[in-house]
Amino acid sequence: MDQGRQVFAVDLLERYATKNRGMITCMASGNDVIVLGTSKGWIIRHDFGLGSSYVIDIDLSVGRTGDQSIHKVFVDPGGSHCVATVTGVGGAETFYTHAKWPKPRVLSRLKGLLVNAVAWNKQQITEVSTKEIILGTQDGQLFEMAVDEKDKREKYVKFLFELEELPEAFMDLQMETANISSGMRYYVMAVTPTRLYSFTGIGTLESVFASYKERAVRFMELPGEIPNRQVLITLYERNHKAELHFFIKQRRAVHFAWLSGTGIYHGGLNFGAQHSNPNGDENFVESKALLDYSKLSDGTEVVKPSSMALSEYHFLLLIGNKVKVVNRISEQIIEELHFDISADSASRGIIGLCSDASAGLFYAYDQNSIFQVSVIDESRDMWKVHLDLKDYAAALANCRDPLQRDQVYLVQAEAAFANKEYLRAASFYAKVNYVISFEEVTLKFISINELESLRTFLLRKLDTLSKNDKCQITMISTWATELYLDKINRLLLEDDTAIENRNSEYHSVIQEFRAFMSDSKDVLDEATTMKLLESYGRVEELVYFANLKEQYEIVIHHYIQQGEAKKALEVLQKSSVSEELQYKFAPELIMLDAYETVEAWMASKNLNPRRLITAMMRYSSEPHAKNETHEVIKYLEFCVHQLHNEDPGIHNLLLSLYAKQEDDSALLRFLQCKFGKGRENGPEFFYDPKYALRLCLKEKRSRACVHIYSMMSMHEEAVALALQIDPELAMAEADKVEDDEDLRKKLWLMIAKHVVKQEKGAKRENIRKAIAFLKETDGLLKIEDILPFFPDFALIDDFKEAICSSLEDYNKQIEQLKEEMNDATRGADNIRNDISALTQRYAVIDREEECGVCKRKILTMTGDFRMAQSYFSAGPLAPFYVFPCGHSFHAQCLITHVTSCAHEEQAEHILDLQKQLTLLGSEPPRNINGNRSDEPITSTTTADKLRSELDDAIASECPFCGELMINEISLPFIKPEETQHSASWDLRPQTNLANQRTISLPV
């Protein structure tokens, strides 16, 4: 115990506290309120919460004859309610007073009863009501009473209980209550000079005590000096007191102490809900102990305390004129408190102690003075007290800093080490951070060859290190790894069957080691750990660690070596595995298990099939059973049909595999499939046709070659090859040519020649077949086309019918041509008539008609509209155009409008034509109808051609009704050249408003 610092301190609170109202006989306190009882029948109330000068004195001897003295005074924990008992010649009388009352009220129903103890209902009491309280008398009786401040008198006084077996005075009382589901539970403890009684039950106080008429009262008896009843009061005033104290923590009593004749009986209190027996027979006292008075003195004479107080960890025992502070746990005296007693009080000394549970203070008093005993730091050394008693859990709970906790752990570790409980010692050593070094602990275990305990120490030490101790964590984890590996190898050497026995220690250690690696994967150095695992030959653990560190290449390589392709593929399927490993191990995996590998590829939608071509070609180069599913073809078909892969390499590979199959049906289907169908401007196939042709020629896939020739527009080669296979196939290929009539005829001639040359029957039969073939050509070939293919000795009679049919066809064609010529002649006549009619067409112009551009009258002549002399003018009028829709324009206005709306090239062309016409101004003018004058037109001059071109350029359609107006919809409202003009309309904030004048306008 630290002797340099006090746990309790004593201060003089009030020297002459009774204000000349007699000597102090008793005292009680609560909530910074102290009430004194004097030898002259006065009670003095000191309310230190309101100031040290706030004192109220009340005379309780008024109306009583003879000397009166206050026997006992009681104050509730809130300091509002006070009960006092007065003794004198006229007997005992009990009073009640409230903090707000100027005068006390006598409790008439208790007249003649000497009240020794009061138990307050600490959970229910309020400032205005005491609720139910219990009073214990000198005659061994218990009464229930309640007082409301507003009633100015007691509400009731009920008799509860009386000691009959051993009638003794009740010296002290304490009460606790608890609300439970079935009602209010009461716990009452009462002490006499020799016994401690306990009462408990559910309901009301009256019903609880009434139940003890039928059941025994629980009590604890500690025989001491039992005083004679006749001289009881005299002896009580000396040092034969029995006191009962509860220590209150968070408004609930947690332990008690009984100052008995034999010793201090104390223990813990448990008023929990587990006491569910409705009769309340459970004993709520726990951890009971008796402090013998012999421990309080060094000599042979046993000195008994005259009073006591109870703190959280200590007993304050009044022995003579000093207070001995005894630790409740160790039962050792830790210090003595001395008081500055005045000379007039020295004869009697300190009378007693009392406590203020609400304020956490203790008081001592003599005849005149009050001393305050303050708690400075009573829990300061409690950790050491519990440690000395080997109550390690309590010691740790009371530690305040890491150094104290280290000392507790060290004591535990040393005790376990001494008892050869090395694993337990390792766990405690690991928790020590300051008082013993890491090296000392490790050497302890190494010196006794306790490697398993050392490993335990290292593992537990890791739990205590912070994340910032990266270097230490890595070193300790690496050491623990080596210890694990050593343990595993030693188990293998000790037991040859350890591998087969799944329940052996070997397997449990491996599981523990793997869990350790999983937890420490982020702190273990990768290279060092892998070297350790490799040096100890732990391949499986090496693979496990590589998996944890996401070194999947090592893991996959191991599984491939073991022939476990499925496990390797499972690793590759993880999202954290790089795709590069898929490509790297593809050749080995597909050779190991083609089915599982291809299934894995098909499940991985993000793979690039092109990068798997090497693996697929390696697999395809190996011989396969005839009926075996070709896994590469399956994957390539998946890529082409499901993933819509467009890589030429993939298509070429699939085509090559098809070409090597005996059955060419799959190859033909592949060639005929249009993979790019639906794509705009996309190809119909993605394989290389030249490569496909070479391959099919090499593999002698003739039908496939025919298809490829046709696809490459090499129709002559296609037909030539098809004729070697099937003439019908050749005919089908020839029919595919539709846009080139000459080529189509050439192809059919090739087929015809082949047909004629191949027929070996009778001559007439051959000719009949040839004629039938001509019909299949749908008239493309005539008899004269195939005659050269027949031998020179063939008779003409054999072709009579075919030649006659051909001549008839020619006649029909001649007649059809005549019809077409007649139709063309009639059409030409109609056109000439239309042209003649157009020359006579005219339009009527109203004299008020306006130009569509300038809005001036068409028939008004002004100098502004004079044109070059190359235009025919109608007298004094300017040239103009009239359209069938009714719109009219001056020629110059029309040219200006069209050039402004037309694109740049067209506008330049119009202006150039106008310039040329101006230069050729010698031509005669036109009349009003736009025709030349009556002079005959002998030839078309250059001016006419230019004028015709200009008319076509500006007057081919009305600019307001034709395409020119429609195109203007897409033009912006403000043209680029008008930007500066439009900017002048922008609204800008005025920067200088001071010089502006405001003009008011009349309304």
mmCIF file of all heavy atoms in Angstrom, residues 373-385:
data_model
loop_
_atom_site.group_PDB
_atom_site.id
_atom_site.type_symbol
_atom_site.label_atom_id
_atom_site.label_comp_id
_atom_site.label_asym_id
_atom_site.label_seq_id
_atom_site.Cartn_x
_atom_site.Cartn_y
_atom_site.Cartn_z
ATOM 1 N N VAL A 373 -14.937 13.795 7.082
ATOM 2 C CA VAL A 373 -13.973 12.814 6.576
ATOM 3 C C VAL A 373 -14.251 12.654 5.077
ATOM 4 O O VAL A 373 -15.297 12.132 4.681
ATOM 5 C CB VAL A 373 -14.103 11.465 7.298
ATOM 6 C CG1 VAL A 373 -13.082 10.477 6.737
ATOM 7 C CG2 VAL A 373 -13.917 11.656 8.805
ATOM 8 N N SER A 374 -13.328 13.111 4.260
ATOM 9 C CA SER A 374 -13.505 13.089 2.800
ATOM 10 C C SER A 374 -12.716 11.944 2.184
ATOM 11 O O SER A 374 -11.610 11.614 2.638
ATOM 12 C CB SER A 374 -13.035 14.411 2.186
ATOM 13 O OG SER A 374 -13.719 15.501 2.781
ATOM 14 N N VAL A 375 -13.291 11.382 1.162
ATOM 15 C CA VAL A 375 -12.616 10.319 0.411
ATOM 16 C C VAL A 375 -11.744 10.974 -0.657
ATOM 17 O O VAL A 375 -12.243 11.716 -1.498
ATOM 18 C CB VAL A 375 -13.637 9.367 -0.250
ATOM 19 C CG1 VAL A 375 -12.910 8.272 -1.022
ATOM 20 C CG2 VAL A 375 -14.563 8.778 0.797
ATOM 21 N N ILE A 376 -10.454 10.695 -0.607
ATOM 22 C CA ILE A 376 -9.544 11.273 -1.597
ATOM 23 C C ILE A 376 -9.418 10.347 -2.805
ATOM 24 O O ILE A 376 -9.693 10.732 -3.941
ATOM 25 C CB ILE A 376 -8.162 11.551 -0.970
ATOM 26 C CG1 ILE A 376 -8.307 12.574 0.162
ATOM 27 C CG2 ILE A 376 -7.173 12.042 -2.029
ATOM 28 C CD1 ILE A 376 -7.013 12.836 0.905
ATOM 29 N N ASP A 377 -9.019 9.142 -2.571
ATOM 30 C CA ASP A 377 -8.838 8.189 -3.678
ATOM 31 C C ASP A 377 -8.768 6.794 -3.091
ATOM 32 O O ASP A 377 -7.708 6.177 -3.050
ATOM 33 C CB ASP A 377 -7.568 8.536 -4.463
ATOM 34 C CG ASP A 377 -7.452 7.742 -5.753
ATOM 35 O OD1 ASP A 377 -8.407 7.004 -6.062
ATOM 36 O OD2 ASP A 377 -6.429 7.854 -6.441
ATOM 37 N N GLU A 378 -9.893 6.274 -2.651
ATOM 38 C CA GLU A 378 -9.844 5.011 -1.928
ATOM 39 C C GLU A 378 -9.629 3.805 -2.831
ATOM 40 O O GLU A 378 -9.216 2.748 -2.376
ATOM 41 C CB GLU A 378 -11.120 4.821 -1.095
ATOM 42 C CG GLU A 378 -12.384 4.585 -1.889
ATOM 43 C CD GLU A 378 -13.519 4.106 -0.988
ATOM 44 O OE1 GLU A 378 -13.224 3.394 -0.019
ATOM 45 O OE2 GLU A 378 -14.679 4.449 -1.257
ATOM 46 N N SER A 379 -9.920 3.940 -4.150
ATOM 47 C CA SER A 379 -9.717 2.798 -5.041
ATOM 48 C C SER A 379 -8.319 2.758 -5.622
ATOM 49 O O SER A 379 -8.026 1.906 -6.469
ATOM 50 C CB SER A 379 -10.734 2.840 -6.188
ATOM 51 O OG SER A 379 -10.542 3.996 -6.975
ATOM 52 N N ARG A 380 -7.447 3.655 -5.152
ATOM 53 C CA ARG A 380 -6.124 3.808 -5.735
ATOM 54 C C ARG A 380 -5.323 2.507 -5.720
ATOM 55 O O ARG A 380 -4.745 2.108 -6.725
ATOM 56 C CB ARG A 380 -5.380 4.892 -4.969
ATOM 57 C CG ARG A 380 -3.982 5.166 -5.462
ATOM 58 C CD ARG A 380 -3.290 6.134 -4.526
ATOM 59 N NE ARG A 380 -3.099 5.549 -3.205
ATOM 60 C CZ ARG A 380 -3.014 6.241 -2.069
ATOM 61 N NH1 ARG A 380 -3.144 7.553 -2.101
ATOM 62 N NH2 ARG A 380 -2.817 5.635 -0.925
ATOM 63 N N ASP A 381 -5.286 1.829 -4.612
ATOM 64 C CA ASP A 381 -4.456 0.633 -4.476
ATOM 65 C C ASP A 381 -5.267 -0.646 -4.423
ATOM 66 O O ASP A 381 -4.736 -1.694 -4.029
ATOM 67 C CB ASP A 381 -3.599 0.738 -3.202
ATOM 68 C CG ASP A 381 -2.612 1.888 -3.275
ATOM 69 O OD1 ASP A 381 -2.042 2.089 -4.365
ATOM 70 O OD2 ASP A 381 -2.432 2.592 -2.264
ATOM 71 N N MET A 382 -6.506 -0.583 -4.840
ATOM 72 C CA MET A 382 -7.331 -1.788 -4.759
ATOM 73 C C MET A 382 -6.840 -2.873 -5.708
ATOM 74 O O MET A 382 -6.996 -4.065 -5.430
ATOM 75 C CB MET A 382 -8.789 -1.437 -5.064
ATOM 76 C CG MET A 382 -9.485 -0.659 -3.967
ATOM 77 S SD MET A 382 -9.354 -1.467 -2.350
ATOM 78 C CE MET A 382 -10.159 -3.026 -2.657
ATOM 79 N N TRP A 383 -6.245 -2.457 -6.819
ATOM 80 C CA TRP A 383 -5.730 -3.488 -7.726
ATOM 81 C C TRP A 383 -4.664 -4.332 -7.044
ATOM 82 O O TRP A 383 -4.586 -5.557 -7.224
ATOM 83 C CB TRP A 383 -5.149 -2.827 -8.980
ATOM 84 C CG TRP A 383 -3.880 -2.048 -8.737
ATOM 85 C CD1 TRP A 383 -3.761 -0.765 -8.332
ATOM 86 C CD2 TRP A 383 -2.547 -2.559 -8.853
ATOM 87 N NE1 TRP A 383 -2.448 -0.404 -8.189
ATOM 88 C CE2 TRP A 383 -1.669 -1.497 -8.515
ATOM 89 C CE3 TRP A 383 -2.006 -3.780 -9.205
ATOM 90 C CZ2 TRP A 383 -0.291 -1.636 -8.523
ATOM 91 C CZ3 TRP A 383 -0.626 -3.939 -9.212
ATOM 92 C CH2 TRP A 383 0.210 -2.866 -8.870
ATOM 93 N N LYS A 384 -3.850 -3.661 -6.202
ATOM 94 C CA LYS A 384 -2.790 -4.386 -5.511
ATOM 95 C C LYS A 384 -3.346 -5.261 -4.394
ATOM 96 O O LYS A 384 -2.832 -6.355 -4.135
ATOM 97 C CB LYS A 384 -1.788 -3.374 -4.944
ATOM 98 C CG LYS A 384 -0.460 -3.973 -4.568
ATOM 99 C CD LYS A 384 0.559 -2.890 -4.270
ATOM 100 C CE LYS A 384 1.913 -3.499 -3.989
ATOM 101 N NZ LYS A 384 2.935 -2.460 -3.702
ATOM 102 N N VAL A 385 -4.421 -4.786 -3.759
ATOM 103 C CA VAL A 385 -5.075 -5.595 -2.717
ATOM 104 C C VAL A 385 -5.598 -6.887 -3.318
ATOM 105 O O VAL A 385 -5.388 -7.991 -2.783
ATOM 106 C CB VAL A 385 -6.218 -4.787 -2.059
ATOM 107 C CG1 VAL A 385 -7.021 -5.676 -1.125
ATOM 108 C CG2 VAL A 385 -5.653 -3.593 -1.302
#
